[in-house]
Amino acid sequence: MAKTYDVVVIGGGPAGYVAAIRCAQLGLETACVEKWLNFKNEPALGGTCLNVGCIPSKTLLESSEHYHLIKEGINNHGIRVEGVSLNLDQMMARKEDIVMQLTGGISALFKANGVEWLQGHGKLLADRQVEVTARDGSTEVVGADHVIIATGSQPIDIGAARVDNAEGLIVDSTGALDFRQVPKTLGVIGAGVIGLELGSVWSRLGSKVVMLEAVEDFLALADQQIARDALRQFRKQGLDIRLETRVTATRKTADGVVVSFKDKNGDHEMTVDKLLVSVGRRPNTDNVAAPEAGLLFGERGYIHVNDECETNLPGVFAIGDVVRGPMLAHKGSEEGVMVAENIAGQHGHLNYDAIPWVIYTNPEIAWVGKTEQALKAEGIPYKIGTFPFAANGRAKAMEAASGMVKMLAHAETDLLLGCHIIGPFASELVQEAVLAMEFHASSEDLARTIHGHPTLYEAMHEAALSVHGRAIHKINT
Ligand code: FAD
Ligand code: NAD
């Protein structure tokens, strides 16, 4: 007789492990099936985010930013530093240590909450049975009243540039987080979030970075006024970003990778030491459900779900990167909480209109809600308030006074519809707008909120004031 749980979660990334912990908090007997093997070939929780995604990338972004600042940028403060050198091995060891601490932390949380970790590959069978295949090939079938599928995503491969992380010449994000030498030249296919973040890391450490982006619009999902400013600033920093450029073939030689590409001026070739392919990710659904389970898949292989993350099968849910919506860790985690609470008979809910986005470049880019181009396309009347960091005292003191805050409010109701930031600590500032939107605040509410001085948050305040032409530290037009 198969062991039966209240809930079995398949996948222990930020969607799955959060769902499992919340289920256990609510008194549900919960198991989580997870198969990840880390860089030490040991089983690990935390999924893409903790092992090869958010955490190692932010760790290297932070380290490379310090290196770059000390090497290039501190003179304006009147500080002279000489003899700066890079210890890449130590930088990588620090990254690995942080990953180990955080993934170990999830395993401790599982123990403390009584979540059972079933190590191996999980596959949904009929009637909410789950087959678990261990590393040694042995299988066990467990039953569940509820199953939550949280199997995540993996990089998209393109025929013109086949990834081989072990060889280390043409790599995906996992390979680019683990170079053991700074490449002299780094080619990047796809100037999206991963391309920009990892391109920034290696550029700061000394690589010449060339990015080949297929489409005409840079950061098409971002507000285009912000995206234009970002493109200008990144190019000024030395990132060679080429739009409307298609890679047609690659060839490995003794000198590196020869990349053939096409742009509006014709066909070209360039040779780079390493090539990063970052053209998006696709849902992980290989062998996740047996045909007899009857699980319905939607467009491009995503598991089909409704707004409550219910699949077509009663008692079976899917969350995180494996379902529609932005591929962001916090989106998956909040879906996990919603589903756990609904299983426990509570009223879980997620406001898909208030999910923040952050790109951890320098300057950072962050936003929540509608872009100006979306409001135009949807015919929603709006007002704009902007404020430049050049007029913010704290940003000046930080030597980080570039970029701006842009707020969009409904022209009739003044409801805050979107906030778009390029500038220092945009990742933190955007949370004020997320909270405001969650509470259905108007731009007037933000304008009447007292903001400490001198803080970067004053730029948020001034942008809100500017919606009604009352910003104090700029000339209102
Ligand atoms: P995953 O994290 O992919 O976890 C899925 C888990 O399921 C994995 O551990 C996998 O081993 C396991 N699994 C899969 N199939 C099975 C199976 N059949 N049986 C058992 N286990 C299985 N997002 C942000 O919000 N902020 C960031 O700064 C950020 N930075 C990123 C940087 C990089 C380089 C990358 C690649 C991604 C980044 N992301 C970031 C995206 C973020 O990592 C994902 O959105 C997030 O990890 C999705 O969580 P998830 O739980 O749905 O899937
Ligand atoms: P992305 O969708 O952000 O960017 C991919 C880019 O590649 C796009 O600009 C696209 O136009 C371009 N592209 C597609 N095919 C191409 C081709 N053949 N040649 C040239 N360009 C091509 O995807 P990503 O950067 O791979 O990141 C994957 C996901 O991971 C993202 O959806 C993102 O949500 C998540 N992520 C988030 C963060 C963060 O939150 N800070 C960081 C990293 C990754």
Side-chain angles (χ1 to χ4, degrees), residues 299-439:
E299 249 182 275
R300 289 177 289 144
Y302 290 94
I303 296 175
H304 178 80
V305 288
N306 63 12
D307 282 354
E308 276 75 45
C309 291
E310 293 167 329
T311 69
N312 64 314
L313 304 173
V316 179
F317 304 81
I319 57 175
D321 281 10
V322 80
V323 301
R324 85 286 172 264
M327 287 186 168
L328 298 172
H330 43 282
K331 174 262 191 187
S333 297
E334 292 304 325
E335 287 180 333
V337 170
M338 168 177 75
V339 166
E341 293 180 350
N342 285 338
I343 288 173
Q346 299 187 353
H347 300 283
H349 175 71
L350 199 157
N351 180 0
Y352 283 96
D353 293 333
I355 298 176
W357 290 72
V358 180
I359 307 176
Y360 294 82
T361 41
N362 185 356
E364 291 182 348
I365 300 168
W367 72 91
V368 58
K370 303 264 190 208
T371 59
E372 188 176 353
Q373 67 265 21
L375 291 174
K376 270 196 187 128
E378 292 171 36
I380 299 171
Y382 61 91
K383 284 191 169 173
I384 305 178
T386 60
F387 193 78
F389 283 104
N392 175 274
R394 187 70 189 276
K396 282 273 187 212
M398 291 167 67
E399 194 70 23
S402 67
M404 65 158 125
V405 177
K406 172 175 179 176
M407 296 228 180
L408 298 164
H410 196 283
E412 287 140 25
T413 65
D414 195 36
L415 196 70
L416 188 64
L417 299 173
C419 176
H420 305 270
I421 310 167
I422 176 166
F425 290 107
S427 54
E428 307 288 331
L429 298 177
V430 73
Q431 282 305 137
E432 178 174 5
V434 176
L435 195 65
M437 287 183 64
E438 194 59 45
F439 282 77

Side-chain angles (χ1 to χ4, degrees), residues 53-54 57-58 153 155-156 158 173 188-197 212-215 217-221 245-247 277-281 321 326-330 356-360:
C54 323
S57 60
K58 266 77 256 180
S153 63
I156 292 175
I158 53 172
S173 52
V188 178
I189 309 183
V193 190
I194 291 180
L196 289 169
E197 290 189 354
L212 309 175
E213 165 60 50
V215 305
D217 290 334
F218 180 62
L219 290 178
L221 286 181
T245 302
R246 285 202 166 269
V247 173
V277 183
S278 49
V279 295
R281 294 175 63 86
D321 281 10
M327 287 186 168
L328 298 172
H330 43 282
W357 290 72
V358 180
I359 307 176
Y360 294 82

